[in-house]
Amino acid sequence: MTDIPQDHPRYESLLAREKVAAGVKMGITSIQGLIAQGRGESFDYLIGERSTESALYAERAAVAALLLAENPVISVNGNVAALAPEKVVALADITGAKIEVNLFHRTDTRVHLIIEHLKASGASEVLGKNPDASLDLSHDRRLVSSKGIYTADVVLVPLEDGDRCEKLVKMGKTVITIDLNPLSRTSRTATISIVDNVTRALGNMAKLAQEMKKEKKEELVKLITSYDNKKAIAGAISEIQEHLKTMIAEVEY
Ligand code: ATP
């Protein structure tokens, strides 16, 4: 990985880019993952490369859902494995969630490499190697584990594709997504749409989970029942608008 000077004004973003590129070289991230990262970066620019108020609102509700779930599962793809493996493991440990590898561009080798990468980051068990259940989809993201995603009541699917998200929602699951694009089909279909960078969101959620674990069950239930996903998405779009207005003011000054 290229050394990025820590005082570079866009250090975090450049580091993420290096991690995804390294993921491709290691064989855990698909080449198409580079395009997805680029698309994410452009939305992050518009958002102002920060976790906004609406993102934190959704992240809090998402953590409550994970903590209350009977069978929570975190679905991991090649980009998430390259960007934030330790954060996935930390969040899974605190919330008691299972981890399952699920890929659009699936090969047995990639699944194996991602599982090993997650294990090297501290995961004890990672599902996804021998999928024994299938979702009603025509691509490889249909292949799931019967004790993982297939029977999960709450699924965290960072960087999801819209059609699997829709299928999971139709199956009656609480689907939590992390996607910097508030207009994507994924964001518009999920139960809880987190519009934030996956690296920041998973870090925030692990911290929140540590604190919220001590809260009473009723408090967590209240957080979920009062949560309004339309408000979260509309909030994300208007935060982009506000950020752009600030940028216009800076340019005009
Ligand atoms: P959809 O079917 O939901 O409309 P899409 O086809 O627009 O999805 P993909 O190309 O499948 O999207 O996946 C890329 C998505 O992931 C983009 O919406 C992008 O904003 C988001 N993304 C990429 N990198 C990150 C990241 N690091 N953090 C959060 N979101 C990201």
Side-chain angles (χ1 to χ4, degrees):
M1 241 167 44
T2 313
D3 242 359
I4 312 283
Q6 287 206 13
D7 59 354
H8 191 287
R10 303 201 53 261
Y11 173 74
E12 295 296 337
S13 176
L14 294 181
L15 185 66
R17 192 179 294 182
E18 288 299 320
K19 284 184 181 174
V20 178
V24 174
K25 282 188 196 140
M26 286 159 68
I28 62 174
T29 308
S30 67
I31 194 97
Q32 292 84 351
L34 294 172
I35 298 168
Q37 173 66 15
R39 175 134 48 148
E41 278 182 16
S42 54
F43 276 100
D44 213 5
Y45 231 103
L46 299 178
I47 285 170
E49 296 178 316
R50 70 211 155 107
S51 294
T52 61
E53 222 173 276
S54 69
L56 288 163
Y57 169 62
E59 283 159 12
R60 191 168 262 282
V63 169
L66 286 170
L67 287 171
L68 289 171
E70 273 175 29
N71 186 19
V73 176
I74 304 176
S75 176
V76 174
N77 73 356
N79 282 50
V80 177
L83 284 167
E86 298 87 0
K87 288 174 180 164
V88 168
V89 175
L91 183 63
D93 280 352
I94 306 165
T95 58
K98 291 173 185 154
I99 301 174
E100 179 168 341
V101 175
N102 181 273
L103 306 174
F104 189 86
H105 302 282
R106 183 190 171 94
T107 65
D108 287 344
T109 309
R110 274 187 69 216
V111 174
H112 171 75
L113 289 172
I114 293 175
I115 291 176
E116 290 312 307
H117 190 60
L118 289 164
K119 286 191 173 165
S121 304
S124 46
E125 192 192 7
V126 183
L127 304 170
K129 199 167 202 156
N130 299 303
D132 57 353
S134 185
L135 306 175
D136 181 20
L137 288 169
S138 53
H139 54 75
D140 277 356
R141 280 202 120 170
R142 72 181 186 281
L143 302 170
V144 290
S145 158
S146 60
K147 64 174 185 169
I149 290 170
Y150 195 74
T151 51
D153 51 346
V154 177
V155 203
L156 169 61
V157 281
L159 314 191
E160 187 59 7
D161 58 345
D163 57 343
R164 190 175 75 133
C165 179
E166 206 174 335
K167 277 278 145 39
L168 294 170
V169 171
K170 276 202 180 131
M171 287 171 81
K173 300 175 193 301
T174 295
V175 180
I176 304 162
T177 56
I178 304 173
D179 186 338
L180 279 157
N181 179 2
L183 307 172
S184 73
R185 278 201 309 130
T186 300
S187 293
R188 286 183 287 121
T189 320
T191 323
I192 300 178
S193 312
I194 298 170
V195 180
D196 199 356
N197 192 301
V198 82
T199 309
R200 293 194 301 267
L202 290 171
N204 293 341
M205 288 168 79
K207 266 193 220 138
L208 282 169
Q210 199 74 265
E211 295 160 18
M212 289 166 63
K213 225 184 154 144
K214 298 171 205 144
E215 283 176 27
K216 288 202 185 97
K217 193 177 163 187
E218 303 87 83
E219 293 301 318
L220 300 179
V221 171
K222 228 189 271 173
L223 258 176
I224 296 172
T225 48
S226 65
Y227 176 75
D228 179 351
N229 202 48
K230 286 191 183 134
K231 187 173 137 187
I233 298 175
I237 298 171
S238 83
E239 281 157 344
I240 291 178
Q241 241 177 345
E242 288 309 311
H243 181 64
L244 292 180
K245 277 188 204 157
T246 316
M247 297 314 288
I248 292 170
E250 268 182 34
V251 172
E252 282 179 343
Y253 179 69

Short mmCIF file of all heavy atoms in Angstrom, two decimals, residues 162-223:
data_model
loop_
_atom_site.label_atom_id
_atom_site.label_comp_id
_atom_site.label_asym_id
_atom_site.label_seq_id
_atom_site.Cartn_x
_atom_site.Cartn_y
_atom_site.Cartn_z
N GLY A 162 -29.57 -3.13 -4.79
CA GLY A 162 -30.98 -2.83 -4.55
C GLY A 162 -31.92 -4.03 -4.59
O GLY A 162 -32.81 -4.13 -3.76
N ASP A 163 -31.68 -4.95 -5.53
CA ASP A 163 -32.68 -6.02 -5.65
C ASP A 163 -32.61 -7.04 -4.51
O ASP A 163 -33.63 -7.55 -4.07
CB ASP A 163 -32.67 -6.70 -7.03
CG ASP A 163 -31.35 -7.28 -7.42
OD1 ASP A 163 -30.35 -6.90 -6.79
OD2 ASP A 163 -31.31 -8.11 -8.35
N ARG A 164 -31.39 -7.31 -4.00
CA ARG A 164 -31.35 -8.24 -2.86
C ARG A 164 -31.96 -7.57 -1.63
O ARG A 164 -32.67 -8.19 -0.85
CB ARG A 164 -29.94 -8.73 -2.54
CG ARG A 164 -30.01 -9.89 -1.52
CD ARG A 164 -28.66 -10.50 -1.24
NE ARG A 164 -27.86 -9.66 -0.39
CZ ARG A 164 -27.19 -10.10 0.67
NH1 ARG A 164 -27.24 -11.37 1.01
NH2 ARG A 164 -26.45 -9.28 1.37
N CYS A 165 -31.70 -6.28 -1.49
CA CYS A 165 -32.26 -5.54 -0.37
C CYS A 165 -33.79 -5.66 -0.39
O CYS A 165 -34.42 -5.97 0.62
CB CYS A 165 -31.82 -4.08 -0.48
SG CYS A 165 -32.47 -3.04 0.83
N GLU A 166 -34.35 -5.47 -1.58
CA GLU A 166 -35.80 -5.56 -1.74
C GLU A 166 -36.31 -6.95 -1.35
O GLU A 166 -37.32 -7.09 -0.66
CB GLU A 166 -36.12 -5.27 -3.21
CG GLU A 166 -37.49 -4.73 -3.45
CD GLU A 166 -37.65 -4.32 -4.93
OE1 GLU A 166 -36.65 -4.01 -5.61
OE2 GLU A 166 -38.80 -4.34 -5.37
N LYS A 167 -35.59 -8.00 -1.80
CA LYS A 167 -35.99 -9.38 -1.50
C LYS A 167 -35.98 -9.63 0.00
O LYS A 167 -36.89 -10.23 0.56
CB LYS A 167 -35.04 -10.38 -2.18
CG LYS A 167 -35.35 -10.65 -3.61
CD LYS A 167 -36.47 -11.68 -3.73
CE LYS A 167 -37.42 -11.49 -4.89
NZ LYS A 167 -37.05 -11.08 -6.16
N LEU A 168 -34.92 -9.16 0.66
CA LEU A 168 -34.79 -9.39 2.11
C LEU A 168 -35.91 -8.67 2.87
O LEU A 168 -36.47 -9.22 3.83
CB LEU A 168 -33.42 -8.93 2.61
CG LEU A 168 -32.21 -9.72 2.08
CD1 LEU A 168 -30.90 -9.02 2.45
CD2 LEU A 168 -32.22 -11.15 2.62
N VAL A 169 -36.26 -7.47 2.42
CA VAL A 169 -37.36 -6.73 3.06
C VAL A 169 -38.67 -7.50 2.85
O VAL A 169 -39.45 -7.67 3.78
CB VAL A 169 -37.46 -5.28 2.50
CG1 VAL A 169 -38.73 -4.59 2.99
CG2 VAL A 169 -36.24 -4.46 2.90
N LYS A 170 -38.87 -8.00 1.63
CA LYS A 170 -40.10 -8.75 1.31
C LYS A 170 -40.21 -10.02 2.15
O LYS A 170 -41.31 -10.51 2.41
CB LYS A 170 -40.14 -9.11 -0.18
CG LYS A 170 -40.69 -8.00 -1.03
CD LYS A 170 -41.21 -8.52 -2.36
CE LYS A 170 -41.76 -7.35 -3.18
NZ LYS A 170 -41.26 -7.34 -4.55
N MET A 171 -39.07 -10.57 2.58
CA MET A 171 -39.07 -11.78 3.42
C MET A 171 -39.44 -11.43 4.86
O MET A 171 -39.48 -12.30 5.72
CB MET A 171 -37.70 -12.47 3.38
CG MET A 171 -37.41 -13.17 2.06
SD MET A 171 -35.68 -13.73 1.99
CE MET A 171 -35.77 -15.26 2.96
N GLY A 172 -39.64 -10.14 5.14
CA GLY A 172 -40.07 -9.72 6.47
C GLY A 172 -38.92 -9.37 7.40
O GLY A 172 -39.12 -9.19 8.61
N LYS A 173 -37.73 -9.27 6.85
CA LYS A 173 -36.58 -8.97 7.71
C LYS A 173 -36.41 -7.46 7.89
O LYS A 173 -36.81 -6.67 7.03
CB LYS A 173 -35.29 -9.52 7.07
CG LYS A 173 -35.32 -11.03 6.88
CD LYS A 173 -34.09 -11.49 6.15
CE LYS A 173 -34.24 -12.92 5.67
NZ LYS A 173 -34.46 -13.90 6.71
N THR A 174 -35.82 -7.09 9.02
CA THR A 174 -35.40 -5.70 9.21
C THR A 174 -34.07 -5.58 8.49
O THR A 174 -33.10 -6.25 8.85
CB THR A 174 -35.23 -5.39 10.71
OG1 THR A 174 -36.51 -5.48 11.33
CG2 THR A 174 -34.65 -4.00 10.93
N VAL A 175 -34.02 -4.74 7.44
CA VAL A 175 -32.80 -4.64 6.64
C VAL A 175 -32.15 -3.27 6.87
O VAL A 175 -32.75 -2.23 6.62
CB VAL A 175 -33.10 -4.85 5.14
CG1 VAL A 175 -31.82 -4.75 4.32
CG2 VAL A 175 -33.76 -6.20 4.92
N ILE A 176 -30.92 -3.33 7.37
CA ILE A 176 -30.16 -2.11 7.63
C ILE A 176 -29.11 -1.98 6.53
O ILE A 176 -28.33 -2.92 6.30
CB ILE A 176 -29.43 -2.20 8.99
CG1 ILE A 176 -30.41 -2.50 10.12
CG2 ILE A 176 -28.64 -0.92 9.26
CD1 ILE A 176 -29.73 -3.03 11.39
N THR A 177 -29.09 -0.84 5.83
CA THR A 177 -28.08 -0.67 4.79
C THR A 177 -27.17 0.51 5.12
O THR A 177 -27.56 1.42 5.86
CB THR A 177 -28.74 -0.40 3.42
OG1 THR A 177 -29.60 0.73 3.55
CG2 THR A 177 -29.54 -1.59 2.95
N ILE A 178 -25.96 0.46 4.58
CA ILE A 178 -25.05 1.61 4.67
C ILE A 178 -24.69 1.95 3.23
O ILE A 178 -24.12 1.12 2.51
CB ILE A 178 -23.77 1.28 5.47
CG1 ILE A 178 -24.12 0.77 6.87
CG2 ILE A 178 -22.87 2.51 5.55
CD1 ILE A 178 -22.92 0.26 7.67
N ASP A 179 -25.09 3.12 2.78
CA ASP A 179 -24.84 3.52 1.39
C ASP A 179 -24.77 5.03 1.34
O ASP A 179 -25.70 5.72 1.80
CB ASP A 179 -25.98 2.99 0.50
CG ASP A 179 -25.74 3.23 -0.99
OD1 ASP A 179 -24.94 4.12 -1.34
OD2 ASP A 179 -26.36 2.52 -1.80
N LEU A 180 -23.67 5.56 0.80
CA LEU A 180 -23.51 7.02 0.75
C LEU A 180 -24.49 7.69 -0.21
O LEU A 180 -24.67 8.90 -0.16
CB LEU A 180 -22.07 7.35 0.34
CG LEU A 180 -21.06 7.30 1.50
CD1 LEU A 180 -19.65 7.08 0.98
CD2 LEU A 180 -21.12 8.56 2.34
N ASN A 181 -25.11 6.91 -1.07
CA ASN A 181 -26.07 7.48 -2.01
C ASN A 181 -27.49 7.39 -1.44
O ASN A 181 -28.08 6.31 -1.42
CB ASN A 181 -25.97 6.73 -3.34
CG ASN A 181 -26.95 7.24 -4.37
OD1 ASN A 181 -27.70 8.19 -4.11
ND2 ASN A 181 -26.95 6.62 -5.54
N PRO A 182 -28.07 8.52 -1.02
CA PRO A 182 -29.41 8.45 -0.44
C PRO A 182 -30.48 8.16 -1.48
O PRO A 182 -31.62 7.84 -1.15
CB PRO A 182 -29.62 9.85 0.17
CG PRO A 182 -28.72 10.75 -0.61
CD PRO A 182 -27.54 9.90 -1.04
N LEU A 183 -30.10 8.28 -2.78
CA LEU A 183 -31.07 8.08 -3.86
C LEU A 183 -31.03 6.67 -4.45
O LEU A 183 -31.82 6.34 -5.32
CB LEU A 183 -30.81 9.09 -4.99
CG LEU A 183 -30.74 10.55 -4.57
CD1 LEU A 183 -30.27 11.41 -5.73
CD2 LEU A 183 -32.09 11.03 -4.07
N SER A 184 -30.10 5.83 -3.99
CA SER A 184 -29.99 4.49 -4.58
C SER A 184 -31.23 3.67 -4.24
O SER A 184 -31.94 3.96 -3.29
CB SER A 184 -28.74 3.78 -4.05
OG SER A 184 -28.95 3.39 -2.70
N ARG A 185 -31.43 2.63 -5.04
CA ARG A 185 -32.59 1.75 -4.76
C ARG A 185 -32.42 1.12 -3.39
O ARG A 185 -33.38 0.93 -2.66
CB ARG A 185 -32.67 0.66 -5.84
CG ARG A 185 -33.34 1.16 -7.10
CD ARG A 185 -33.86 0.04 -7.94
NE ARG A 185 -32.84 -0.98 -8.19
CZ ARG A 185 -33.04 -2.28 -8.00
NH1 ARG A 185 -34.19 -2.74 -7.58
NH2 ARG A 185 -32.07 -3.13 -8.26
N THR A 186 -31.18 0.81 -3.06
CA THR A 186 -30.90 0.22 -1.75
C THR A 186 -31.39 1.14 -0.64
O THR A 186 -32.16 0.71 0.23
CB THR A 186 -29.37 0.00 -1.61
OG1 THR A 186 -28.95 -0.88 -2.64
CG2 THR A 186 -29.01 -0.56 -0.26
N SER A 187 -30.97 2.41 -0.67
CA SER A 187 -31.36 3.34 0.39
C SER A 187 -32.88 3.51 0.44
O SER A 187 -33.46 3.63 1.51
CB SER A 187 -30.72 4.72 0.17
OG SER A 187 -29.33 4.64 0.35
N ARG A 188 -33.50 3.53 -0.75
CA ARG A 188 -34.94 3.78 -0.76
C ARG A 188 -35.76 2.55 -0.39
O ARG A 188 -36.93 2.66 -0.09
CB ARG A 188 -35.37 4.35 -2.12
CG ARG A 188 -34.92 5.82 -2.25
CD ARG A 188 -35.38 6.47 -3.53
NE ARG A 188 -34.62 5.97 -4.67
CZ ARG A 188 -35.17 5.38 -5.72
NH1 ARG A 188 -36.47 5.21 -5.79
NH2 ARG A 188 -34.41 4.95 -6.71
N THR A 189 -35.13 1.37 -0.36
CA THR A 189 -35.88 0.15 -0.06
C THR A 189 -35.68 -0.35 1.37
O THR A 189 -36.53 -1.06 1.90
CB THR A 189 -35.42 -1.00 -1.01
OG1 THR A 189 -35.21 -0.47 -2.29
CG2 THR A 189 -36.41 -2.11 -1.08
N ALA A 190 -34.55 0.00 1.97
CA ALA A 190 -34.20 -0.59 3.28
C ALA A 190 -35.15 -0.17 4.40
O ALA A 190 -35.90 0.80 4.26
CB ALA A 190 -32.78 -0.16 3.64
N THR A 191 -35.11 -0.92 5.49
CA THR A 191 -35.91 -0.56 6.67
C THR A 191 -35.22 0.58 7.41
O THR A 191 -35.86 1.52 7.88
CB THR A 191 -36.01 -1.78 7.64
OG1 THR A 191 -36.12 -2.98 6.89
CG2 THR A 191 -37.16 -1.62 8.59
N ILE A 192 -33.90 0.46 7.53
CA ILE A 192 -33.11 1.52 8.15
C ILE A 192 -31.97 1.85 7.19
O ILE A 192 -31.09 1.00 6.95
CB ILE A 192 -32.56 1.09 9.53
CG1 ILE A 192 -33.71 0.73 10.48
CG2 ILE A 192 -31.66 2.19 10.13
CD1 ILE A 192 -33.28 0.22 11.86
N SER A 193 -32.01 3.05 6.61
CA SER A 193 -31.01 3.43 5.60
C SER A 193 -29.99 4.38 6.22
O SER A 193 -30.32 5.52 6.53
CB SER A 193 -31.69 4.14 4.43
OG SER A 193 -32.82 3.42 4.00
N ILE A 194 -28.77 3.89 6.36
CA ILE A 194 -27.71 4.74 6.91
C ILE A 194 -26.95 5.36 5.73
O ILE A 194 -26.32 4.65 4.94
CB ILE A 194 -26.75 3.91 7.79
CG1 ILE A 194 -27.51 3.33 8.99
CG2 ILE A 194 -25.56 4.76 8.24
CD1 ILE A 194 -26.72 2.30 9.79
N VAL A 195 -27.03 6.69 5.60
CA VAL A 195 -26.32 7.37 4.52
C VAL A 195 -25.02 7.91 5.11
O VAL A 195 -24.97 9.00 5.67
CB VAL A 195 -27.20 8.49 3.91
CG1 VAL A 195 -26.46 9.19 2.78
CG2 VAL A 195 -28.52 7.91 3.41
N ASP A 196 -24.00 7.08 5.04
CA ASP A 196 -22.71 7.42 5.65
C ASP A 196 -21.65 6.54 5.01
O ASP A 196 -21.97 5.52 4.39
CB ASP A 196 -22.78 7.13 7.17
CG ASP A 196 -21.70 7.87 7.98
OD1 ASP A 196 -20.86 8.55 7.37
OD2 ASP A 196 -21.73 7.74 9.22
N ASN A 197 -20.40 6.89 5.20
CA ASN A 197 -19.31 6.06 4.72
C ASN A 197 -19.26 4.80 5.58
O ASN A 197 -19.39 4.88 6.81
CB ASN A 197 -18.00 6.84 4.83
CG ASN A 197 -16.88 6.15 4.09
OD1 ASN A 197 -16.55 4.99 4.39
ND2 ASN A 197 -16.32 6.82 3.12
N VAL A 198 -19.06 3.67 4.95
CA VAL A 198 -19.10 2.40 5.69
C VAL A 198 -18.05 2.38 6.83
O VAL A 198 -18.33 1.85 7.92
CB VAL A 198 -18.94 1.22 4.70
CG1 VAL A 198 -17.51 0.94 4.34
CG2 VAL A 198 -19.62 0.00 5.20
N THR A 199 -16.91 2.98 6.60
CA THR A 199 -15.85 2.99 7.62
C THR A 199 -16.30 3.81 8.84
O THR A 199 -16.17 3.37 9.98
CB THR A 199 -14.56 3.58 7.03
OG1 THR A 199 -14.28 2.90 5.81
CG2 THR A 199 -13.39 3.43 7.96
N ARG A 200 -16.85 5.00 8.59
CA ARG A 200 -17.32 5.83 9.71
C ARG A 200 -18.52 5.18 10.39
O ARG A 200 -18.60 5.13 11.61
CB ARG A 200 -17.72 7.23 9.22
CG ARG A 200 -16.57 8.08 8.71
CD ARG A 200 -17.01 9.53 8.59
NE ARG A 200 -18.13 9.73 7.68
CZ ARG A 200 -18.01 10.02 6.38
NH1 ARG A 200 -16.84 10.16 5.83
NH2 ARG A 200 -19.09 10.18 5.63
N ALA A 201 -19.47 4.69 9.57
CA ALA A 201 -20.71 4.14 10.13
C ALA A 201 -20.43 2.95 11.05
O ALA A 201 -20.96 2.89 12.16
CB ALA A 201 -21.65 3.73 9.00
N LEU A 202 -19.58 2.02 10.59
CA LEU A 202 -19.31 0.83 11.42
C LEU A 202 -18.59 1.22 12.70
O LEU A 202 -18.85 0.65 13.77
CB LEU A 202 -18.51 -0.20 10.62
CG LEU A 202 -19.26 -0.90 9.49
CD1 LEU A 202 -18.30 -1.74 8.64
CD2 LEU A 202 -20.38 -1.80 10.03
N GLY A 203 -17.69 2.21 12.61
CA GLY A 203 -17.00 2.70 13.81
C GLY A 203 -17.98 3.33 14.79
O GLY A 203 -17.98 3.02 15.99
N ASN A 204 -18.86 4.19 14.28
CA ASN A 204 -19.87 4.83 15.14
C ASN A 204 -20.77 3.78 15.79
O ASN A 204 -21.10 3.85 16.97
CB ASN A 204 -20.81 5.74 14.32
CG ASN A 204 -20.10 6.95 13.75
OD1 ASN A 204 -19.03 7.33 14.21
ND2 ASN A 204 -20.70 7.58 12.75
N MET A 205 -21.16 2.79 14.98
CA MET A 205 -22.11 1.78 15.48
C MET A 205 -21.47 0.91 16.57
O MET A 205 -22.15 0.54 17.55
CB MET A 205 -22.63 0.92 14.33
CG MET A 205 -23.59 1.69 13.43
SD MET A 205 -23.92 0.83 11.91
CE MET A 205 -25.12 -0.39 12.46
N ALA A 206 -20.19 0.58 16.41
CA ALA A 206 -19.53 -0.23 17.45
C ALA A 206 -19.48 0.56 18.76
O ALA A 206 -19.74 0.01 19.84
CB ALA A 206 -18.13 -0.62 16.99
N LYS A 207 -19.19 1.86 18.67
CA LYS A 207 -19.15 2.70 19.88
C LYS A 207 -20.53 2.81 20.50
O LYS A 207 -20.71 2.66 21.70
CB LYS A 207 -18.67 4.12 19.52
CG LYS A 207 -17.17 4.29 19.72
CD LYS A 207 -16.79 5.77 19.65
CE LYS A 207 -15.49 5.88 18.88
NZ LYS A 207 -15.40 6.96 17.94
N LEU A 208 -21.54 3.09 19.66
CA LEU A 208 -22.91 3.21 20.16
C LEU A 208 -23.37 1.90 20.81
O LEU A 208 -24.02 1.91 21.86
CB LEU A 208 -23.87 3.54 19.01
CG LEU A 208 -23.90 4.99 18.52
CD1 LEU A 208 -24.68 5.08 17.21
CD2 LEU A 208 -24.56 5.89 19.57
N ALA A 209 -23.02 0.79 20.19
CA ALA A 209 -23.46 -0.52 20.71
C ALA A 209 -22.89 -0.76 22.11
O ALA A 209 -23.57 -1.29 22.99
CB ALA A 209 -23.03 -1.63 19.76
N GLN A 210 -21.65 -0.34 22.29
CA GLN A 210 -21.01 -0.49 23.61
C GLN A 210 -21.80 0.27 24.68
O GLN A 210 -22.06 -0.26 25.75
CB GLN A 210 -19.58 0.09 23.50
CG GLN A 210 -18.62 -0.35 24.57
CD GLN A 210 -18.17 -1.78 24.37
OE1 GLN A 210 -18.77 -2.68 24.96
NE2 GLN A 210 -17.18 -2.01 23.53
N GLU A 211 -22.23 1.50 24.33
CA GLU A 211 -23.00 2.31 25.29
C GLU A 211 -24.43 1.80 25.43
O GLU A 211 -24.95 1.67 26.53
CB GLU A 211 -23.10 3.78 24.81
CG GLU A 211 -21.77 4.51 24.77
CD GLU A 211 -21.83 5.73 23.85
OE1 GLU A 211 -22.94 6.20 23.52
OE2 GLU A 211 -20.74 6.20 23.47
N MET A 212 -25.07 1.51 24.30
CA MET A 212 -26.51 1.18 24.32
C MET A 212 -26.79 -0.21 24.90
O MET A 212 -27.91 -0.49 25.28
CB MET A 212 -27.08 1.28 22.90
CG MET A 212 -27.18 2.73 22.44
SD MET A 212 -27.48 2.90 20.67
CE MET A 212 -29.06 2.10 20.48
N LYS A 213 -25.76 -1.02 24.96
CA LYS A 213 -25.92 -2.36 25.55
C LYS A 213 -26.37 -2.27 26.99
O LYS A 213 -27.03 -3.17 27.52
CB LYS A 213 -24.56 -3.06 25.48
CG LYS A 213 -24.67 -4.47 24.99
CD LYS A 213 -23.39 -5.19 25.01
CE LYS A 213 -23.81 -6.64 25.15
NZ LYS A 213 -23.08 -7.57 24.51
N LYS A 214 -26.02 -1.14 27.65
CA LYS A 214 -26.37 -0.96 29.06
C LYS A 214 -27.80 -0.44 29.23
O LYS A 214 -28.32 -0.41 30.32
CB LYS A 214 -25.38 0.03 29.71
CG LYS A 214 -23.95 -0.45 29.68
CD LYS A 214 -23.00 0.65 30.13
CE LYS A 214 -21.61 0.43 29.56
NZ LYS A 214 -20.93 1.66 29.20
N GLU A 215 -28.41 0.02 28.13
CA GLU A 215 -29.76 0.60 28.24
C GLU A 215 -30.81 -0.48 28.42
O GLU A 215 -30.64 -1.62 28.02
CB GLU A 215 -30.07 1.43 26.99
CG GLU A 215 -29.38 2.78 27.03
CD GLU A 215 -29.61 3.59 25.76
OE1 GLU A 215 -30.63 3.39 25.09
OE2 GLU A 215 -28.73 4.42 25.46
N LYS A 216 -31.96 -0.05 29.04
CA LYS A 216 -33.06 -1.00 29.23
C LYS A 216 -33.68 -1.37 27.89
O LYS A 216 -33.72 -0.55 26.97
CB LYS A 216 -34.15 -0.34 30.09
CG LYS A 216 -33.77 -0.18 31.53
CD LYS A 216 -35.06 -0.05 32.37
CE LYS A 216 -34.72 0.23 33.80
NZ LYS A 216 -34.78 1.66 34.11
N LYS A 217 -34.22 -2.60 27.83
CA LYS A 217 -34.82 -3.09 26.59
C LYS A 217 -35.91 -2.13 26.08
O LYS A 217 -36.00 -1.85 24.89
CB LYS A 217 -35.40 -4.49 26.86
CG LYS A 217 -35.76 -5.23 25.63
CD LYS A 217 -36.27 -6.61 25.91
CE LYS A 217 -36.99 -7.13 24.69
NZ LYS A 217 -37.67 -8.38 24.87
N GLU A 218 -36.72 -1.60 27.02
CA GLU A 218 -37.82 -0.70 26.62
C GLU A 218 -37.30 0.54 25.89
O GLU A 218 -37.94 1.06 24.98
CB GLU A 218 -38.66 -0.22 27.82
CG GLU A 218 -39.27 -1.30 28.67
CD GLU A 218 -38.33 -1.77 29.76
OE1 GLU A 218 -38.27 -1.11 30.81
OE2 GLU A 218 -37.64 -2.79 29.56
N GLU A 219 -36.15 1.02 26.34
CA GLU A 219 -35.56 2.21 25.70
C GLU A 219 -35.17 1.90 24.26
O GLU A 219 -35.37 2.72 23.36
CB GLU A 219 -34.31 2.67 26.48
CG GLU A 219 -34.58 3.20 27.87
CD GLU A 219 -35.55 4.39 27.87
OE1 GLU A 219 -35.39 5.26 27.00
OE2 GLU A 219 -36.45 4.41 28.73
N LEU A 220 -34.64 0.71 24.06
CA LEU A 220 -34.23 0.32 22.71
C LEU A 220 -35.46 0.14 21.81
O LEU A 220 -35.47 0.57 20.65
CB LEU A 220 -33.42 -0.98 22.75
CG LEU A 220 -32.12 -0.95 23.57
CD1 LEU A 220 -31.44 -2.32 23.54
CD2 LEU A 220 -31.16 0.11 23.03
N VAL A 221 -36.52 -0.46 22.39
CA VAL A 221 -37.75 -0.65 21.63
C VAL A 221 -38.31 0.72 21.23
O VAL A 221 -38.73 0.93 20.08
CB VAL A 221 -38.79 -1.46 22.45
CG1 VAL A 221 -40.14 -1.49 21.75
CG2 VAL A 221 -38.28 -2.88 22.70
N LYS A 222 -38.28 1.67 22.18
CA LYS A 222 -38.79 3.01 21.90
C LYS A 222 -38.03 3.66 20.73
O LYS A 222 -38.62 4.31 19.88
CB LYS A 222 -38.62 3.87 23.17
CG LYS A 222 -39.89 4.65 23.54
CD LYS A 222 -39.64 5.64 24.64
CE LYS A 222 -39.83 5.05 26.03
NZ LYS A 222 -39.41 5.99 27.11
N LEU A 223 -36.73 3.45 20.74
CA LEU A 223 -35.90 4.03 19.67
C LEU A 223 -36.33 3.51 18.29
O LEU A 223 -36.38 4.26 17.32
CB LEU A 223 -34.44 3.60 19.88
CG LEU A 223 -33.50 4.60 20.49
CD1 LEU A 223 -32.13 3.98 20.71
CD2 LEU A 223 -33.36 5.81 19.56
#
